Amino acid sequence: DVKVTQSSRYLVKRTGEKVFLECVQDMDHENMFWYRQDPGLGLRLIYFSYDVKMKEKGDIPEGYSVSREKKERFSLILESASTNQTSMYLCASSRTDSNQPQHFGDGTRLSIL
Amino acid sequence: SQQGEEDPQALSIQEGENATMNCSYKTSINNLQWYRQNSGRGLVHLILIRSNEREKHSGRLRVTLDTSKKSSSLLITASRAADTASYFCATEGNYQLIWGAGTKLIIKP
């Protein structure tokens, strides 16, 4: 089974801090994604990556950056955390072939105080 | 951007009844996927239906796709308490998934 592991289930940080969310997948998937999920808004794509060292902006990249130095690891960085970044963050991975599902981690519930 | 819209937003039924959720979308797609999310957890892929398919089954799940109406439905037969979750449709058009806001399903014992 595909396993996508997010480093923290719950995280509390302060406004202005630099925050790192880590995601690791064990199935050699080419694609990795970071979403945020807010009530009533569904999932919104922040950034995605098709390969090592490659990154593409999603729908809401402002205030975030990402890093993919190794194929299995995709990190989301909040450069200077703000209260409006309090949310559930979900990492996913998938194969590049067409018609492939995405596999999700359990999410990180991040609170910015 | 949000493309899929699920209907209803919330659904509460008795255990053993069938549950039907609908999804509408706006643009052409390669496939449509359904996912389940238990409270506070990540999403789990349920079923994928390609744009040239009209119906697909997986256990107690039945998915239909009508590309002329840009809509899909997910039917869960003989519901169980463990089916209580939020259900999301997602459309794939250009190697990315675009998500609806989900249907919250509650199965009453």
Side-chain angles (χ1 to χ4, degrees):
Chain A
D1 278 353
V2 176
K3 190 157 181 66
V4 179
T5 303
Q6 294 185 229
S7 52
S8 305
R9 288 293 308 279
Y10 301 94
L11 205 53
V12 180
K13 296 291 183 182
R14 297 210 171 271
T15 303
E17 280 192 70
K18 191 169 186 175
V19 181
F20 294 85
L21 302 183
E22 305 287 346
C23 175
V24 177
Q25 50 95 3
D26 66 357
M27 282 302 292
D28 203 37
H29 284 172
E30 296 85 4
N31 304 330
M32 295 190 75
F33 307 85
W34 274 106
Y35 295 95
R36 65 176 282 175
Q37 182 179 27
D38 301 288
L41 295 179
L43 275 71
R44 293 181 292 168
L45 182 64
I46 304 172
Y47 268 96
F48 59 100
S49 169
Y50 289 142
D51 201 350
V52 176
K53 297 193 185 296
M54 289 184 61
K55 59 185 179 183
E56 298 286 342
K57 293 180 180 179
D59 297 321
I60 51 165
E62 296 79 19
Y64 303 94
S65 63
V66 290
S67 172
R68 194 161 180 206
E69 295 297 319
K70 294 184 178 181
K71 191 174 185 179
E72 66 270 19
R73 185 180 296 272
F74 193 35
S75 304
L76 179 69
I77 303 152
L78 285 66
E79 297 291 344
S80 178
S82 63
T83 55
N84 63 12
Q85 291 178 309
T86 291
S87 187
M88 171 73 116
Y89 289 86
L90 292 163
C91 174
S93 71
S94 72
R95 288 172 50 190
T96 291
D97 307 354
S98 60
N99 296 307
Q100 294 295 319
Q102 292 187 7
H103 300 268
F104 283 81
D106 273 341
T108 295
R109 189 165 293 281
L110 175 64
S111 296
I112 307 296
L113 304 179
Chain B
S1 58
Q2 189 167 322
Q3 165 154 258
E5 291 186 11
E6 286 93 341
D7 168 50
Q9 291 185 345
L11 179 61
S12 180
I13 60 173
Q14 293 293 139
E15 193 168 17
E17 293 180 340
N18 296 341
T20 299
M21 289 159 272
N22 302 297
C23 171
S24 60
Y25 58 93
K26 296 172 186 170
T27 62
S28 62
I29 61 172
N30 293 331
N31 64 64
L32 186 144
Q33 304 178 30
W34 286 92
Y35 289 77
R36 183 188 76 233
Q37 184 180 34
N38 291 94
S39 180
R41 306 302 294 269
L43 280 76
V44 174
H45 178 258
L46 294 176
I47 198 163
L48 181 152
I49 186 165
R50 302 182 187 200
S51 58
N52 61 354
E53 297 176 312
R54 293 296 167 259
E55 188 170 313
K56 204 161 182 180
H57 296 257
S58 177
R60 293 184 297 112
L61 306 181
R62 172 178 170 254
V63 168
T64 62
L65 179 64
D66 187 335
T67 52
S68 66
K69 294 181 180 178
K70 291 186 169 58
S71 67
S72 173
S73 67
L74 170 67
L75 168 67
I76 303 174
T77 59
S79 62
R80 304 168 182 169
D83 295 328
T84 293
S86 292
Y87 291 81
F88 295 86
C89 71
T91 53
E92 181 185 335
N94 190 22
Y95 303 105
Q96 293 180 45
L97 292 182
I98 301 176
W99 299 83
T103 292
K104 188 165 186 175
L105 175 64
I106 296 173
I107 308 299
K108 296 180 287 186

